[in-house]
């Protein structure tokens, strides 16, 4: 497929926000990689009653930060299924600059088949496993896994109220809006000096990768609490836990392009 990034999508420093690209890729992938084509009426059961987005990860190449700038850019993309499991499937979307042919970003998404009544994972029907047997026999690709920082005090906490414009067609908070919330949290935290390495203007840091793990849904008007941490094992990364009361809604990891830690420490002396 083809697409274009327009001038009004860029931030004040002429960069494309990660959540804008994520939103575009989700839209394009929905139509370019239809999962489990509907069968002729009455022939076979539908592949799933409901589906739940479990996780998304996106990797940005150096070309993304070199080429994607004002006034915009034409790109092409390829979306394809890469794995089918008992209850879930994964697809991958690659974004390529149409002018240079350089790869800009890669998105991987895992979706789970869910029972309408129990809201629990439901096995895919036999005809799906047979039709996609060339993908069921592959090794399961790496996917986003939960992290545990429950014993660590957050470096910075940021409140968000879900706005009507953040809601998707299912009347839940749109998946890409959570990423915007996390960037807003990190922006405020960096400006206030909450983090030891990533500080000042967050837009001065290019993004390397983003991991999103969806845990529960939220609705219009919900008040959310975004907790953020640094992790000394990953000094270029800020981790987030989005909560509504005691409920965990989402975990996120954003990895930034920063100099090596020794260079940073030397600069502080």
């Amino acid at each position: 497929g083809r697409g274009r990034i327009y001038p009004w999508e860029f931030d004040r420093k002429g960069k494309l926000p990660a959540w804008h690209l994520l939103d575009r890729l989700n839209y394009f992938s929905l139509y370019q990689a239809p999962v489990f084509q509907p069968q002729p009426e009455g022939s076979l059961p539908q592949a799933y009653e409901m589906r739940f987005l479990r996780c998304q990860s996106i990797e940005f190449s150096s070309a993304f930060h070199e080429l994607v700038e004002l006034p915009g850019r034409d790109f092409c993309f390829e979306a394809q299924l890469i794995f089918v499991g008992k209850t879930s499937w994964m697809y991958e979307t690659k974004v390529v600059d149409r002018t240079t042919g350089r790869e800009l970003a890669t998105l991987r998404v895992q979706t789970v088949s869910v029972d309408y009544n129990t809201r629990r994972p439901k096995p895919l029907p036999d005809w799906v496993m047979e039709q996609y047997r060339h993908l069921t026999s592959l090794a399961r690709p790496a996917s986003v896994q939960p992290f545990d920082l429950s014993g660590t005090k957050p470096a910075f906490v940021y409140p968000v109220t879900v706005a009507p414009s953040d809601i998707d067609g299912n009347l839940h908070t749109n998946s890409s809006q959570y990423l915007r919330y996390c960037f807003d949290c990190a922006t405020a935290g960096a400006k206030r000096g909450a983090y030891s390495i990533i500080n000042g203007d967050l837009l001065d840091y290019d993004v390397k990768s983003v991991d999103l793990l969806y845990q529960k849904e939220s609705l219009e008007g919900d008040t959310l609490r975004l907790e953020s941490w640094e992790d000394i094992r990953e000094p270029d990364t800020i981790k987030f836990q989005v909560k509504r009361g005691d409920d965990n809604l989402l975990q996120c990891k954003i990895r930034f392009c920063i100099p090596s830690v020794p260079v940073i420490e030397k600069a502080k002396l």
Side-chain angles (χ1 to χ4, degrees):
R2 295 180 178 182
R4 179 168 178 80
I5 300 169
Y6 296 97
W8 54 83
E9 296 182 80
F10 290 83
D11 61 30
R12 58 181 168 80
K13 290 206 171 183
K15 298 179 179 181
L16 180 70
W19 67 85
H20 269 304
L21 182 63
L22 183 63
D23 193 50
R24 296 285 293 277
L25 289 180
N26 285 336
Y27 175 80
F28 286 131
S29 298
L30 178 65
Y31 293 99
Q32 292 297 319
V35 179
F36 314 141
Q37 290 280 6
Q39 301 299 304
E41 185 175 356
S43 62
L44 291 170
Q46 291 297 311
Y48 51 83
E49 296 178 282
M50 293 180 62
R51 57 183 178 177
F52 174 75
L53 178 62
R54 179 187 176 271
C55 65
Q56 300 190 88
S57 61
I58 184 166
E59 297 275 348
F60 298 91
S61 71
S62 58
F64 176 85
H65 301 294
E66 294 171 16
L67 300 177
V68 181
E69 56 186 13
L70 281 170
R73 203 81 187 180
D74 291 321
F75 64 90
C76 57
F77 55 90
E78 297 179 357
Q80 62 177 347
L81 276 170
I82 60 172
F83 179 76
V84 176
K86 292 182 178 180
T87 62
S88 68
W89 58 94
M90 298 180 69
Y91 66 83
E92 181 178 84
T93 303
K94 291 186 177 294
V95 186
V96 178
D97 179 63
R98 288 177 58 190
T99 302
T100 65
R102 297 176 68 183
E103 187 173 308
L104 302 176
T106 301
L107 170 72
R108 281 191 173 182
V109 179
Q110 182 182 20
T111 307
V112 181
S113 169
V114 177
D115 184 275
Y116 182 83
N117 295 312
T118 65
R119 297 297 200 269
R120 302 296 300 170
K122 180 178 180 179
L124 295 165
D126 291 342
W127 70 262
V128 170
M129 307 305 289
E130 175 62 24
Q131 183 171 326
Y132 294 93
R133 61 182 181 276
H134 62 291
L135 296 177
T136 62
S137 59
L138 299 177
R140 181 183 294 272
S143 61
V144 181
Q145 299 300 315
F147 57 80
D148 182 16
L149 289 174
S150 56
T152 308
K153 183 179 179 181
F156 186 72
V157 176
Y158 186 78
V160 169
T161 299
V162 179
S165 57
D166 297 340
I167 300 303
D168 62 17
N170 294 318
L171 302 182
H172 302 138
T173 305
N174 183 278
S175 58
S176 60
Q177 293 304 313
Y178 286 108
L179 183 56
R180 179 172 66 85
Y181 299 160
C182 291
F183 269 98
D184 286 347
C185 173
T187 298
K191 186 180 296 184
R192 298 180 190 181
Y195 315 117
S196 61
I197 294 178
I198 298 171
N199 53 63
D201 191 345
L202 194 72
L203 296 184
D204 290 337
Y205 300 87
D206 291 333
V207 180
K208 277 188 177 181
S209 64
V210 171
D211 290 344
L212 295 158
L213 178 67
Y214 300 94
Q215 297 167 307
K216 284 190 176 182
E217 300 155 341
S218 61
L219 306 172
E220 177 185 338
D222 282 351
T223 299
L224 311 182
R225 172 185 168 94
L226 278 77
E227 300 175 346
S228 62
W229 295 264
E230 290 178 299
D231 189 337
I232 60 174
R233 296 165 298 182
E234 300 176 89
D236 57 355
T237 301
I238 299 179
K239 299 181 178 181
F240 305 84
Q241 176 69 67
V242 181
K243 303 175 72 73
R244 182 188 54 217
D246 294 331
D247 291 333
N248 293 326
L249 305 185
L250 171 127
Q251 286 189 342
C252 174
K253 290 172 59 175
I254 303 176
R255 187 182 179 199
F256 296 92
C257 299
I258 61 173
S260 64
V261 175
V263 171
I264 293 174
E265 294 301 324
K266 184 178 180 180
K268 289 181 178 180
L269 296 178

